Every structure is written in C-alpha cells, then in structure tokens.
Amino acid sequence: MTLLRWKRTTREESARSTTFEDLALPLLPALYNVAHWLTRNPTDAEDLVQETMLKALRGFAGFEPDSNFKAWIFRILRNTFLTSRSGLTARYTVSLEEEIHEDGETGAAAVPEGTIDRETPELNLIRLSDRSALHTAMEQLPPPLLEVVLLCDVEEMKYKEIAAILNIPIGTVMSRIARARLHLRRSLSGNPFTKELRA
Amino acid sequence: MSDHLSPAKLNALADGELALDQFASVTEHLHNCSQCTSRALEQSLLKSATMRAGRRYTPADGLLEQMERLVSSQDSSNWTAKDNLESRRPAINPSSRRMAWAGWAVAASLLVSAAGLTVMQLHTRSAQTAATERTALATELGDQHIATLAANLPPQVLSSDRHTVKPWFQGKLPFTFNLPENLPEDTKLEGANLTYVHNRPTAQLLYSIGRHRVSVFVRQRQNGEEQSDVTLTQLAGFRLAGFRTGNLDVTAISDVDPARLTALVLSIEHIQ
C-alpha cells in the first residue's frame, strides 16, 4: 500500500510539473517578446521573464485548471513589470493627456469619427509594408496603449482576456485599442518614406 | 451616407469581436459603402502588419534552457495543490490541446481572411456592375440622340409650347414632369418624342441652343435602382449632364458648350 501510494504521488507530482512545463515553456518566446517591448532592454526582459516564471511556478497550485493559462501568466508578467524598476519609470512617464482621456471613456466616444484618416488603402499598404516604420511607431506608443496592441494584435487575445490581464473594463480596452491604432496611423503618416511617395 | 461605421465597430470587426447579429449588419453596410469597406480593409491590414512587426524579439538560446532548469530544479512541495490537480484537469493530452488551439487559430484566421476577401470581391463586383450599367445607359442615350439627329424627322409632338408638349405625354408615360417656362438665352423647346431606354418608356425632350440640338431624356427610376444614373460627362464627343429628383432621372446630351448645356439642365431641375 505504501509503495503504491508513493508511486501514485510521484506520478501526480510529475504530471503536475510536466503540465506546467507544457503550458509555460511554449509561451516563453511570446513572454520574452512582450517583456522586451515593455522594458525596451534585453537584460531587463530576461530578468522579467525569469521572475514571471518563478512566480507562476510558485502560484501554479492556485491556478484554476479550467481557466486561461496564457492570460494568467501574462497577468503575472504585467504585474511583475509594473513593480519593476523599468515598469515604475514607465508608469510615471505616461503623459497627462493619456490619464485624462482614460477616465470613463469607452470605444467610440474616445475616438471621434473625424479622427480616422481618409488616405488611400494603396498608400497605407505601402506604408504598412515598411516594418521599421511600424517598429518606430510602436516604440512611440505610451505604455498603456503599447500593452493593448501587444496583447490584442501580437498575441491575438480577446478583449475579455485583455481586460482580465490589465484589470480594466472591456470598454477601456476598446478605447485604448482605438487610440493606439490612431497613434500608429498618425505616426506612420509622418513617415518620410510615405511623404516621399506622396510628393 | 451619414451613418458610417464607428471606429469602435471597425476595430471590433478587425479583432473578430462582433456578435453574429452585429457582424451581419456590418457586412450588409459594407456591401453598400465603399468608404467603410476601405477603412475596414485598412484596419485589417494595420492589425496584421502590427502583428508581424510586433513579433520582433526572440529570447537568447540560453534562456529556454535556463527556464527548463528553473522549472525542474524547483522543489515540488512549492507547488503542491490542495486538490488533486489531475482529477480536476480535463483528460486531454496537452499536445492535443495545443493542436486544437492551433486548429482553432488557423480556422479563425482563415474565416477572417475569407470574410475579408468576400467583402472585397462583392464590393469590387458591385462597383464593376454599376460602372458597366452606367456606361451602357450613357451609350444607349447617345445612340438615341444620334439616331434622332440622323433621321432628320420632325418630333412626334412638334411644339415650342410647354403646355402642348407636357400634356402630349398623358397616357403614354407612367409618370409626369414639369417643363420650364423661362429658358436660358438662345434656348428653345422644339418638341418631344416618346422613346424607350432599357425597355422602359422615356420622354425625349428636344431643345435647340443656337444651332445645336439637345436631347433631354426623362425616365422613371425603378425601385432599388441606385447606381443607374449617368455620371459620365462625355461620350463620343457629346457632353452629358443630368440630375436626379424624386423618382426621376434626367439626362441631357448634346455637342453644345458644357456651360450652356448645364444652364438648360438647371432650368429644368429648378422647376421639378
């Protein structure tokens, strides 16, 4: 009996650790990518990922098996970032305008109809193919907008998942996405490559 | 069109966040609105471009090994669950689960791509159809005008009096229209013909501006016919001008100076 229980316990422990590995390690590239965007530094990004993994591993016992692991571990990453040195710096450099517009605004209300640009899709297509311009445009995004772009467009998460990770209402997620895309379009329209084409 | 799709709806469309009924109404709107279709396409392109550009940083080779070591080196007591985790976890092979997610992701992206392509194709097709119809209508009106000039026959109703010409159409046309009393300088009503355009009865009003002959075609627009008005301004050397009012489409064609043709058209439009 003792031997059998030992065997069972070992198998359970092994299965649990295997499960964590199976769930977490495939997400490592995505975690690192987001971490690098947030910290803007490879060393800080590695530290952030390492700390995230450690916290996730320790908190895995409390993880609800039926819930979304990716959203869960990204939330840990985000919270860890916010309390890190680079995260604190980023939080205090958010422009006042961003904070003002954040409160109570949702979706369409945050972005007036007229703010959509009216340029031709062909021109925008050329512009979007310029990856370095997009990189620059993303780097210029304020941290709260960069977060939603990374989670929504890069990690292809649903609004509900993003809301859970960022601990904000879905309406705010929509508002931030709309403003982030507006920022990107405006940044791209200032791209000299495009200006040259238009000239 | 004043009620264009809001930025929030366009974003939700690009992100696959619309409910089924919302998706249906948005798709219907896109079929009829080239501006919103263009914006939806742009939004979708921006999203996919951001996705590609956003996947920028890859971890160093050593990081994965470091993380594997970290996971395996941790004392198992640190993550002992209160409940039996395996019994609560659905009996799905993790690799199958990954495959399933990958399958759903591929299916979703294919669905979005297919929907986008369909919208674009439908829009392109309807735009091409409308352009073809406009050209065909302009060609037919041009043919009728040239045939009238070539026949050199008197009009079916020969009169410069609008009170004679207008009543002549009673019982011949399923609609009516007004004719202006005061015409621009050097412009005169010569008469009218009953003709058929696209197999529908049409009034062909004949005017002269100086020595130039003008045909003004007045036809009834059918229900749902939105794109059939003539928007060409020139056809085989002839000038075209027109307007739309109520359920009527009015198109004038002549080789006269465009400004004088427009003046005549405006005088007819004013009286409707």
Side-chain angles (χ1 to χ4, degrees):
Chain A
M1 286 296 284
T2 308
L3 181 62
L4 283 173
R5 192 161 55 232
W6 175 83
K7 272 187 170 177
R8 190 167 60 242
T9 306
T10 306
R11 196 161 48 243
E12 283 170 4
E13 296 290 357
S14 169
R16 191 174 303 126
S17 63
T18 302
T19 304
F20 181 83
E21 281 184 43
D22 283 349
L23 291 172
L25 293 183
L27 293 174
L28 190 67
L31 288 167
Y32 178 81
N33 182 51
V34 171
H36 199 156
W37 273 108
L38 294 176
T39 59
R40 302 169 188 235
N41 177 319
T43 311
D44 287 352
E46 285 194 6
D47 289 348
L48 178 57
V49 170
Q50 196 164 342
E51 199 175 339
T52 300
M53 292 292 268
L54 203 57
K55 283 182 180 174
L57 191 59
R58 286 176 179 162
F60 190 56
F63 170 69
E64 288 292 330
D66 294 331
S67 55
N68 185 333
F69 182 81
K70 187 176 178 180
W72 180 75
I73 199 164
F74 268 91
R75 183 170 182 164
I76 294 174
L77 176 88
R78 197 255 181 175
N79 290 339
T80 307
F81 167 69
L82 287 181
T83 53
S84 69
R85 182 168 45 83
S86 50
L88 287 169
T89 309
R91 283 171 81 179
Y92 288 112
T93 52
V94 172
S95 69
L96 184 61
E97 183 192 16
E98 296 301 326
E99 295 296 342
I100 289 168
H101 285 211
E102 196 67 62
D103 296 335
E105 285 197 352
T106 60
V111 184
E113 178 71 23
T115 54
I116 295 291
D117 62 8
R118 306 287 183 196
E119 295 179 38
T120 63
E122 292 83 2
L123 190 61
N124 291 330
L125 186 62
I126 292 166
R127 188 184 304 153
L128 291 171
S129 66
D130 185 6
R131 189 171 291 197
S132 66
L134 253 174
H135 284 161
T136 308
M138 288 176 73
E139 282 166 359
Q140 288 169 351
L141 284 174
L145 303 189
L146 178 62
E147 278 180 337
V148 292
V149 164
L150 291 170
L151 296 175
C152 181
D153 291 350
V154 180
E155 292 308 320
E156 299 179 280
M157 289 186 182
K158 308 302 287 181
Y159 291 170
K160 192 178 167 185
E161 293 172 323
I162 298 168
I165 291 168
L166 303 180
N167 198 25
I168 54 176
I170 286 182
T172 309
V173 173
M174 293 167 69
S175 162
R176 287 188 188 181
I177 286 170
R179 282 192 289 127
R181 287 178 180 157
L182 188 61
H183 268 259
L184 290 176
R185 276 197 296 268
R186 281 178 179 167
S187 299
L188 290 171
S189 65
N191 180 10
F193 174 69
T194 315
K195 281 181 178 168
E196 190 179 316
L197 276 173
R198 268 185 288 189
Chain B
M1 191 174 290
S2 60
D3 54 343
H4 286 301
L5 296 177
S6 66
K9 273 202 174 155
L10 288 168
N11 280 321
L13 176 68
D15 296 330
E17 290 279 354
L18 288 175
L20 273 179
D21 55 337
Q22 287 177 315
F23 183 75
S25 68
V26 166
T27 308
E28 192 182 352
H29 178 89
L30 291 178
H31 282 171
N32 301 312
C33 180
S34 57
Q35 202 175 342
C36 287
T37 306
S38 172
R39 287 165 58 192
L41 177 64
E42 188 194 332
Q43 203 76 303
S44 179
L45 290 172
L46 176 65
K47 183 180 170 71
S48 55
T50 309
M51 182 181 72
R52 286 192 301 273
R55 290 178 181 167
R56 183 182 187 181
Y57 304 110
T58 49
D61 293 338
L63 186 64
L64 180 61
E65 293 166 17
Q66 200 181 337
M67 289 302 105
E68 282 172 344
R69 278 200 304 274
L70 176 76
V71 172
S72 58
S73 68
Q74 286 297 303
D75 184 353
S76 62
S77 61
N78 281 344
W79 64 84
T80 303
K82 288 172 188 168
D83 304 324
N84 183 337
L85 202 58
E86 279 305 299
S87 66
R88 290 166 61 195
R89 197 178 294 284
I92 300 172
N93 186 334
S95 63
S96 306
R97 199 179 302 151
R98 277 201 303 275
M99 288 295 289
W101 276 110
W104 278 111
V106 169
S109 58
L110 280 175
L111 185 66
V112 169
S113 307
L117 275 174
T118 307
V119 167
M120 282 173 62
Q121 282 173 348
L122 282 173
H123 176 68
T124 308
R125 206 173 299 154
S126 68
Q128 284 172 346
T129 307
T132 307
E133 282 176 2
R134 283 197 295 272
T135 308
L137 175 63
T139 304
E140 190 169 345
L141 296 180
D143 289 348
Q144 296 251 7
H145 178 65
I146 292 164
T148 305
L149 295 178
N152 201 24
L153 292 172
Q156 292 169 16
V157 52
L158 179 62
S159 175
S160 60
D161 180 9
R162 66 188 180 116
H163 297 296
T164 303
V165 172
K166 184 182 169 184
W168 183 80
F169 283 104
Q170 283 180 24
K172 296 184 177 72
L173 293 173
F175 58 91
T176 187
F177 51 88
N178 295 321
L179 293 175
E181 177 70 50
N182 298 318
L183 290 168
E185 189 185 348
D186 209 15
T187 302
K188 186 183 169 192
L189 177 64
E190 300 285 353
N193 290 328
L194 174 66
T195 186
Y196 289 85
V197 174
H198 283 359
N199 300 319
R200 279 188 277 150
T202 301
Q204 183 187 17
L205 305 170
L206 300 168
Y207 287 90
S208 61
I209 303 176
R211 289 179 170 274
H212 299 276
R213 303 283 299 278
V214 182
S215 290
V216 178
F217 295 93
V218 183
R219 55 198 285 273
Q220 190 177 31
R221 194 165 56 249
Q222 286 185 328
N223 288 340
E225 186 185 3
E226 293 294 337
Q227 301 291 332
S228 61
D229 57 326
V230 176
T231 53
L232 292 177
T233 55
Q234 204 163 353
L235 178 79
F238 289 99
R239 298 280 177 182
L240 290 104
F243 64 90
R244 169 184 286 189
T245 177
N247 62 342
L248 297 181
D249 277 344
V250 179
T251 308
I253 180 168
S254 176
D255 60 348
V256 74
D257 172 43
R260 301 178 78 187
L261 182 65
T262 305
L264 170 61
V265 169
L266 286 174
S267 70
I268 298 172
E269 184 178 12
H270 184 68
I271 201 74
Q272 301 305 317

